[in-house]
Amino acid sequence: MERGHLLPYDNIMQKFKVLNVFFLLAIFPFQEAQCDQKETKSSEEVDQLHSLARKAGDHGNLVFPEISENSVSIQFVKVGENPWHFGILQKFRVKAPLQRLVQALDDTDSYVGIIQDLIKIEKRAVRSQNDFILFTETEIPVPFVSNDKTSMHYLVERKEKFSIYRFRLAEGNHLHQYEGLAIAAAEGSNASTYWELDVYEPGFGLNRALPVKKFWIQNAVSSAQACWAFKLKAEGFSSQPFAILEESKKRAASLEESLGKSQQTPLAFKDLPAQIRPISPSSSEREKNPTSPAFSTAIPKQTGPSKEPSP
């Protein structure tokens, strides 16, 4: 689902802080990226994953046994030869029923306050509860650079034991392409799992001012923050958005140093079906479907009593 800006502007500001206003004025004409979401090979592959997830879900087999209930897992996915066209796979388990997780995902109005730098969100062109455009505006703290304004087209399929979200870029001022697939699935009566693949490419100009590796690592941290926010909200960590925001930022930040290795050894698209096809939670099945290194942010142990429920 929607998260904070895909572009690590704080780092861009640090990189250009010694430059004067004339440099910023020089790049100003190039800081807007035009939406150009075309059907690509990755689109076909995401559609295949969508079809696979629907079939597996209909048979009650959407199980992700490799996900710890105390962490958020982030993996990179290689899309092609273009280093700016990449995927980020996010997974986490929730110690709450599927209904609680879906409520946290569907309550889009609550995203502002728990997703870093997100300042506006609204549903537009709503055809139904399961077919709509989701508009977001994210603050960009860079002089002469407009806020990120992105519209995503969502198609949602809801069943008793799972919900599947297919989304594509409808319009955006800083992204060239963006699409993905998200799955929320029940695991018994008191637990649920979330699995999301984002595939995107930033526009040109200031968007690509950082080294490509740094860009993707920062975006992976942003993904982790949003995942932690949804997980904490679904588990009832706090009723206060600020508490969820600060806790999720802290846990996501611990990923930054370790994500470099994962970025160097990304998953391939061909590895993804093994993660959502009908599988058994046995260790033998996990051995048959090895994956590339994933890095998780584990929940820290409580050192004393807390007024808020323990996550």
Side-chain angles (χ1 to χ4, degrees):
M1 297 295 283
E2 221 46 47
R3 57 187 173 89
H5 58 66
L6 300 172
L7 310 171
Y9 287 100
D10 289 342
N11 294 85
I12 292 175
M13 281 300 291
Q14 291 174 11
K15 184 174 182 178
F16 293 129
K17 63 184 178 181
V18 298
L19 302 181
N20 59 35
V21 69
F22 296 105
F23 176 84
L24 291 170
L25 288 172
I27 65 172
F28 173 69
F30 305 104
Q31 58 91 11
E32 293 284 328
Q34 296 299 317
C35 166
D36 187 24
Q37 180 76 6
K38 299 178 180 179
E39 291 297 312
T40 63
K41 187 174 186 296
S42 64
S43 298
E44 296 175 0
E45 291 174 319
V46 175
D47 284 338
Q48 291 172 4
L49 291 173
H50 185 190
S51 177
L52 182 62
R54 294 175 64 187
K55 292 177 182 178
D58 286 338
H59 288 86
N61 291 313
L62 278 171
V63 180
F64 308 96
E66 76 279 6
I67 307 173
S68 167
E69 67 177 14
N70 294 326
S71 66
V72 164
S73 173
I74 302 292
Q75 293 171 280
F76 292 95
V77 179
K78 184 177 176 61
V79 175
E81 297 307 315
N82 180 359
W84 290 103
H85 192 196
F86 229 77
I88 295 180
L89 179 63
Q90 308 131 66
K91 299 177 286 185
F92 60 89
R93 179 171 279 117
V94 175
K95 292 178 285 187
L98 175 63
Q99 182 181 7
R100 291 270 297 276
L101 173 57
V102 171
Q103 286 175 346
L105 297 172
D106 289 350
D107 184 14
T108 55
D109 289 342
S110 72
Y111 287 15
V112 176
I114 68 172
I115 303 297
Q116 187 173 5
D117 297 326
L118 186 65
I119 60 176
K120 183 178 181 179
I121 186 167
E122 61 183 29
K123 288 184 178 180
R124 299 176 175 178
V126 179
R127 296 186 180 91
S128 70
Q129 180 188 13
N130 301 321
D131 184 353
F132 55 87
I133 300 292
L134 190 63
F135 169 82
T136 58
E137 181 177 353
T138 305
E139 182 180 13
I140 304 302
V142 178
F144 309 109
V145 178
S146 62
N147 286 343
D148 180 76
K149 297 178 180 180
T150 301
S151 295
M152 301 294 294
H153 183 198
Y154 278 85
L155 293 173
V156 187
E157 182 175 355
R158 305 175 193 275
K159 296 291 182 70
E160 180 182 357
K161 294 185 178 181
F162 67 90
S163 290
I164 300 178
Y165 304 79
R166 179 70 168 100
F167 48 91
R168 301 173 189 266
L169 181 66
E171 186 177 2
N173 63 336
H174 288 296
L175 293 171
H176 185 58
Q177 294 191 53
Y178 184 19
E179 65 178 311
L181 178 71
I183 306 166
E187 289 195 352
S189 59
N190 294 311
S192 50
T193 302
Y194 187 73
W195 187 102
E196 178 177 345
L197 173 67
D198 293 333
V199 179
Y200 50 88
E201 178 183 358
F204 295 94
L206 186 61
N207 302 338
R208 305 194 185 195
L210 286 176
V212 64
K213 179 179 178 180
K214 184 69 172 179
F215 176 91
W216 289 115
I217 291 175
Q218 288 297 311
N219 278 282
V221 173
S222 178
S223 295
Q225 187 275 316
C227 287
W228 268 116
F230 293 134
K231 175 176 168 63
L232 294 172
K233 181 177 175 62
E235 293 178 342
F237 172 79
S238 174
S239 60
Q240 300 300 317
F242 181 76
I244 293 176
L245 174 63
E246 291 303 304
E247 186 66 21
S248 61
K249 285 167 59 178
K250 180 177 67 176
R251 296 183 183 182
S254 66
L255 271 174
E256 187 166 357
E257 292 185 4
S258 59
L259 276 167
K261 182 178 179 181
S262 181
Q263 201 272 340
Q264 293 174 357
T265 56
L267 288 167
F269 253 105
K270 64 181 179 62
D271 299 322
L272 298 180
Q275 299 200 19
I276 60 175
R277 66 162 57 109
I279 54 178
S280 164
S282 67
S283 59
S284 60
E285 283 294 320
R286 289 196 293 273
E287 291 173 358
K288 294 178 183 178
N289 297 294
T291 60
S292 72
F295 294 92
S296 302
T297 51
I299 294 177
K301 294 181 179 179
Q302 297 293 321
T303 57
S306 172
K307 294 182 181 180
E308 299 290 353
S310 177

